[in-house]
Amino acid sequence: MQRLDLDDLPPRIAQLLTSVAEGEELLLVQGGAVAGRLTGGAPVPAEPPAELDEPMTPAEIMEQFRAQMEDEF
């Protein structure tokens, strides 16, 4: 499967591609001939934000670091 990064396109074209509704078709025309056809899909559902853990204290960070170093060596 090929991949096209919309950030690499001019804003007007990127907006056109992202505005295609579900089931709607977009024809790609070059030199008067149809070069491709894109069909809009369902929008990607937004993922709920991950639960944030309590921030670690510097002592906890150092303890975790020391434990990892002991495991490694």
Side-chain angles (χ1 to χ4, degrees):
M1 174 189 267
Q2 294 186 14
R3 179 180 170 150
L4 175 66
D5 189 348
L6 295 178
D7 294 329
D8 294 337
L9 297 174
R12 182 173 156 240
I13 295 172
Q15 193 279 328
L16 176 66
L17 290 172
T18 56
S19 68
V20 177
E22 183 178 358
E24 183 181 10
E25 289 188 345
L26 175 69
L27 287 179
L28 305 174
V29 180
Q30 183 178 25
V34 174
R37 182 184 312 254
L38 299 175
T39 304
V44 178
E47 294 181 20
E51 294 292 327
L52 298 177
D53 293 333
E54 296 270 333
M56 295 175 65
T57 65
E60 291 172 326
I61 294 171
M62 289 306 294
E63 176 63 30
Q64 186 178 24
F65 176 74
R66 185 167 36 86
Q68 289 175 345
M69 288 289 111
E70 290 173 357
D71 289 344
E72 188 70 27
F73 300 106

